[in-house]
Structure formats: C-alpha cells, structure tokens
Amino acid sequence: MTNLPPPAEELRFLDAELRQLDVRRATLLRRRAWLVHTLQATAARQPALGPGTAPVGPPAGTGAAARRPEATAPGVQNVLLVLGGVLLTIAAIAFTLVSWGHLGIAGRALVLGALTVGALGAPVALLRRGLRSTAEAVAALGTALTVLDAYALHEVAFPGTDGAGYTATASAVLAALWAVYGVRLGLRHPLPLAVATAHLPLLLGAIAVGAGPYTLTAVSLATAAGGTAVALRAALLPVRIVAVTGALGTGAAGVLSAGWLCWSASGPGPAARAAALLLVAAALALVAGRFVPRPEISVGAAFAAGLCVVAGAGGVLRVTVPGEWTVPGCLACAIALLATERTRLHHPLRQGLVRASAAVQGFAVLWTLPLVAGCVLGPAVRGARPWSGTLRDFRDAVFAGLPRPPYAGTAPLVLAVVAAVLVVAGHRTARRPAVTVAAPVLGWAAALVLPVVLQLPYAAGLMAHAVVVAAALFFAVRFGRADKRPSPPSLTALLLALVTSVGLALVSLASEPATIAVLGTLTVLFAAAGLRPGPAPFAAPAALCHATALACAIGASAGRPPHHTALLVLVVPAVAALIASRTGGSRTGGSRTGGSRTGGSRATVPVEVAGAAAGLLALALAAPEPPMLALVLSLCGAVAAATALRPERRAAGWAAAALFLLATWVRLAAWDVAAPEAYTLPVTGPALIVGLLRRRRDAAVSSWTAYGSGLAVTLVPSLLAAWDDQHWLRPLALGVAALAVTLAGARHRLQAPLVLGPGVLALVALHELTPYLAQVVGALPRWAPPAVAGLVLLVLGATYEQRLRDARRLREALGRLG
C-alpha cells in the first residue's frame, strides 16, 4: 500500500515543486528573448553582407517576412503620367495668360497650334507602340490646350462677342471634337469630358438670348433628356456615370424651377404652362425608369414622376379653386395614381407611382395635423377656467386661447378619404396590421374635428364627441379577440376612446350642467365596456377616474368645501375594492375558472391603482382640516383592511395599519395632545402582539425582530421626554415599565428586553440621581475626581485580562438568549 504523507507535508512539497517550475520558466523566457533579439539583428545586417557570404538567420517561415514593394508598377506609372500632364497644363495656362502678349499674332498662332497639334497627334504614335497610359496623359494635355485655344481665339478674334453665347458655341464645338477624337483613337477620357461639356450649350445659349424662366426650365429638362438618352445608350461606365450625374442635376433644377413657377403663378395660364413642364419631367422620368435595368432605380424614377404630376395638378388647382380645396384636389390626383396598379405598366413603375400616391396622402394627413392637435390639446386650456359660462359654438370651447388653423374646412374630408383608401387597399397590402390600425385612427380624427369645422352648437358638439367615445368603445368590444386579449385594432380603439373622453371632459368644464352630465355619461360608458374581459384593464380604471371627477364636480356644484367633497370621493376607492374582490384571485383560481376569470384578474391591478389614486385625492382634499383628515384616513384604512381579507392581498394589511395609525396621530394632533406616549403606545401594542404571534409560529425568529421595534418605539421617545421632564410621574412610570420589560426578558431569556429594559432603567435612574451627583461633585475637593479616575485606571489595568474574559462571557451569555 502507498504511504501518503500528511496533508500539511504534501502541501509543502507541492509548493516547492511549483516554485522550481516558476524559476525554470523564467530562465527559458529570458533565453527565448535573447535568441529573438539575435535573429532580428542578423536579419537587419543581411543586406550589408557581400555576395559570397552565406546568409545567417532563421529558416524560412520563422523570421521576418520578405519585404515587398509598397507601390505597383502601374500605380507608379500613372502617378508620373498624371503629374506630368498636370504640370504641362499649368505651364500652358501660364503661357496663355502671362506670356501671350509678348508674342505677335503669327507667333501666338504658331505656338498654340504647334502645341495643340503635337499634343493631339502624339497619342497616335504612342498607341501604335502600345503605350496607352502615356497616350492618355498626352491626350489629356491636348484637350486642355483646346480649351485654351478657344479662350485665346475669343480674346484675339472675337473680343466683342457676348461671353455666354461664345461659351455656348465653344462648348458645343469642343464636345463634338472631343467625342470624335475619343471614338477615333479609342481613348477613355475624351468621351466623358465631351458628355459633361454637352450639358452646357443649350443652357448657356438660352441665357445668351435672354430667355425667360419658363424657357430656361424647358431647356434644363431638354438637357436632362439628352443626358438620360446618353446614359441609357452608352456602353462605357465613365460615360454613363457622367451622363447620369448631369441628367440628375439638370433634371432636378428643372423640376424645382417648374414647381416654383407653378405654385407661385398668379393665374391659370402661367400655372398651366408650369404644370405642362412638370408633366414633361414626369414623362421623362417614366421613360428613363422603363429602360433602366435596375428595379430600385425604376421605382425611384416613377416615384419622382408621380410627385411631379401631383405637384402640377395642385399648382393649377391653387389658382382655380378656393384655398381650402387645394389639398383635397392634390389628394384626388394622388388617389388617381392608384389606378395604375391595375394597368399593364412595368411593375417597378407601378410600385413607384403607388409610393408617390402614399407620400402625397401622408402629406395631406400632415396638413390636417394642426387642426387635430388643436382639438386634442385645446381643451386643456379650458381646465384652467372651469364653469366660465356658455359659449357661442363648440369651436370656441375647443380652441379657447389657441390660434385656429387656416383652410381647415376640408380637413375632415381629407382624413375620411385617406381612411377609406386604407380600408379598400388594406386587403391587398402586405402591411395589413398597420393598415388596420391607421385607418381607425384617421377615421377617429375625422369624426373628432368634424364638430369643430361645422361650428356646431356647444351641446351638439358635446353629444358628437360622446358618440365618438361610444363608437370607439363599441368597436373595441365588438372586434376583440376570442382569447379575451385586445387585438391591435381593439387596443387602438380603446386608446382613442380614452383620449377623446379626456378632451370631452375638459371641454365640458365650460358649463356646470354639461360637466356633470358628461362625466356621468363617460362613467356609464366605460363601466359598461369594463364588463367585458378584453377592454376591462383599460375601461374599468377609466370609469373609476371619471367617477372620481364626477364626485368632485357634484361636491363643487353643491357648494360643499373640499374636505367635505373628500368623503364623496372615498366612494370610488370603496367601489374599486369591491370590483377588485370580484375580479381578482390567485393564478390558480384564475386558470380553473376559465377565460373570464383570467380577463378579470388582468383588470384587478389597474382597478386597484385607480382606487388608490382616488384615495390619495381624497386625502389631499381633506388635508387642510385635521379632524376630517383623520376621518378620511380611517375610512381609507377600512378599505385597505377589507382588501387585505383577500388571500393574494394580505400585504394590504400593513397599509391599513399605517392608515389607522396616521388617523390616530392626526386626531391626537387635532386635540393638541403633546405627550409622546399617546402617539407611540398605539404602535407598540399591535407590534408586540404581531411579534408574539410570529414567535409562536416560528421559534427561530429572534427577539429583536419580534419585539425590538415595538419596545423601542415607546421606550426611546419616552426616555427623551423624561430627560427634560421636571416632574416625577413620567420617570416613575417609565422606570416601572422598563423594570417590567427587564423581568419579562429575564423570565423568558430574551435578548431584546434584557438590553432595552435595563438600559432605559439605568438612564432613568441616572436622570433621577443627577441633582444629587452634582451636589456631591460640587462638595468634593478639586483633586478628588482626577485621583478617583487614576485609581480606576490602575484597577482596570491590573485586571485587564480578567475584564476581557468577563466581557467575552457576557457576550456569549447574551448570544445564547433568544
């Protein structure tokens, strides 16, 4: 059998072995670092060795990687050629601008002609030798010289010619020459330059002849059409890129100019001409999108075309119909674009037109947003001035203190039409869930603003909004899911009903009878909706909130002060507790009783929160009057105690106890009671009873947990009061109570009473003996206290170790107590 050493000996042996391994590893690491340094130094000296010297260094794959050139040969060649061409071009420009006047006419023509012919003819020979890059560089110099030739020709031969007209002619000639030159020699850069320059002649020519804005816009669109044709037909990628860039730039400029002309026109004629230009731009975009091979570009082109069509129609409508009908007219054009969905048009084009229609409809909805926001937020201003009197119509009640949006008469029509389009198109779109939510929201917005737009009487407007609330609640109840959970449309309807109810309640504050009638109606509507499991988590709390507002309104209408109204408000927490007791339950119970029980349990917490909020409001109303506040606190405690009777709400018992205690304290304060025992004994008694019951259930609970807080609540404040009390009754009663606590702790061997009771008793005795101790200290000589202190220190020092053992034994004895 193997003899194993003791654990301590084996541990010492393992530690020694590990130390040896660490020493050996450190040695090997130092050797490795030296070898790496040596190999690196040898590799650095390797190029300096002679041709006959054998290389010394690490084997292949273990040393530094072989050095590679950082630039390729074609890259170096291109840099040199480009730099050379740039320098030559700069030199030619300097010669033309600076040294031109020092030569005669013959000399000038000879120099520029020779340079241009040489630069343009040299690439022919270079291409025959296969030097294409060099030929491209020299040809670039030649093209730059042709521009200088054109400038020099204007300065010498045509000095009085208009600059714009000459530039247009020169750019057309240069574009043609560069195109022919690039095609004949097969060079790359002349063709993109020719295409870029070809965008200038028409526009510059129009400027030269003094064309108006409509002509300039048409010229921009024509230039864009030419660039589009080149982009669709060109084979070279650089040419396509330049053509597309130019077409987009000139086309965007033409469209923006046409749109500005159309929407700023003062009559139908100018607006129609600008609209025709927009239609031309739309046709150009559709043609380009039809022949572009990439679908996403086709979609974008069709989208732009659709916006151009609607913008042209809207500009014409702006000057032919009243201002409030401009947006509905644009909306009608946008809806007409949806008809292309059923045509045989190219699919990406149809998709782009549909998106353009959707964008215009979105803009139309945004146009109605100020009116809708005013109808939602405007009633909040009315809440600052309740019952200020009747108004002329409903619009004055809603927009009290807010500016009214202009041209808002057709906003309900716009919202209703867009909602109808969403409903019709909803079954054909992949985003049907979003459509089923957006359509009810738009319909609700149309119904919300309709009474304001029609300027209905105040009572009729209130009834109309109440119908909107009822319809939204009916929709939420009718179209809820079978599993009792609200579907997205149902949830949307619930939220809309809540928003409308809040605005309706605020608007009703203009009249006292209207306030009570509206709040009562809303309470009934939401209470009826709360009977169904689906909307119950939203409808039931809303009903309680409206009932709370109704209670406040009834109290104010009866002329009662706020602290009396608080008693009426307390009906709401009581009703909420009753509803929660009928709908609440444990998870197990809910699962046994089925879906209705589950739906009710989901409404339990919102109902309780609404009831708690009503209780807080009642406390706030009763706060100025302490006697009424005590009564309200007691009633709230009764409601909380009733809630605590439910098994899943046992924790509400703590709230009930706190409320009853606060009610007691408030009542005592109202009676001008200053004795602290009157405030602490109602806490100590129940706390000691709860601690006793808890220790009976669980013997492991310590006495500090069971009795510590209850005893300290009374003993500590009474001790502080007794320390400043000049009478004998409080110290005597406190001493007797502390003695009783001490005896009870000794009888049952409990730590908390044995610490608190003797401590309080000693402090009370010290307080009573303080006058006599002061007399004794005053009678003693001045040297007596230092002498006594020194003697005590000597005794303690001599028996220091024994005192430590006694203290340790006392701590252990206290620890063994409960």
Side-chain angles (χ1 to χ4, degrees), residues 683-684 687-692 694-695 701-717 741 750-757 760 818:
V683 181
T684 297
L688 293 178
I689 294 174
V690 171
L692 178 62
R694 185 173 181 183
R695 277 185 62 86
V701 176
S702 66
S703 60
W704 287 104
T705 303
Y707 309 117
S709 59
L711 294 174
V713 165
T714 294
L715 293 178
V716 173
V741 169
L750 299 175
Q751 187 180 110
L754 282 177
V755 173
L756 295 176
V760 172

Side-chain angles (χ1 to χ4, degrees), residues 212-310:
Y214 290 92
T215 304
L216 290 176
T217 303
V219 167
S220 297
L221 294 177
T223 304
T228 303
V230 173
L232 293 175
R233 300 291 296 177
L236 296 178
L237 179 61
V239 175
R240 290 202 304 269
I241 293 175
V242 173
V244 168
T245 304
L248 289 178
T250 55
V255 169
L256 293 177
S257 176
W260 180 80
L261 292 173
C262 187
W263 282 84
S264 62
S266 58
R273 289 198 299 270
L277 293 176
L278 286 174
L279 292 179
V280 171
L284 177 61
L286 289 176
V287 172
R290 176 60 183 86
F291 295 101
V292 170
R294 299 181 61 177
E296 58 273 14
I297 298 179
S298 299
V299 172
F303 178 80
L307 293 181
C308 289
V309 171
V310 176

Side-chain angles (χ1 to χ4, degrees), residues 412 415-416 418-420 437-449 468 496:
L415 292 169
V418 176
V437 172
V441 172
L442 293 176
W444 163 81
L448 185 70
V449 302
V468 172
L496 295 178

Side-chain angles (χ1 to χ4, degrees), residues 13-31:
F13 175 77
L14 291 177
D15 290 339
E17 290 291 332
L18 290 174
R19 283 193 295 273
Q20 292 179 4
L21 290 175
D22 290 338
V23 171
R24 180 61 178 167
R25 186 176 185 274
T27 303
L28 293 176
L29 287 176
R30 286 195 297 271
R31 179 62 180 174

Side-chain angles (χ1 to χ4, degrees), residues 352-442:
L353 292 175
V354 170
R355 292 185 180 182
S357 175
V360 174
Q361 294 180 54
F363 288 138
V365 172
L366 290 178
W367 174 73
T368 65
L369 190 59
L371 180 61
V372 178
C375 293
V376 174
L377 303 178
V381 181
R382 177 63 57 188
R385 294 179 289 126
W387 297 352
S388 58
T390 58
L391 301 170
R392 292 180 301 174
D393 52 42
F394 191 68
R395 187 179 66 177
D396 293 336
V398 172
F399 283 90
L402 292 179
R404 300 171 185 175
Y407 302 121
T410 56
L413 177 62
V414 170
L415 292 169
V417 169
V418 176
V421 170
L422 288 178
V423 171
V424 173
H427 66 280
R428 293 183 296 172
T429 180
R431 300 179 180 178
R432 186 173 182 179
V435 171
T436 56
V437 172
V441 172
L442 293 176

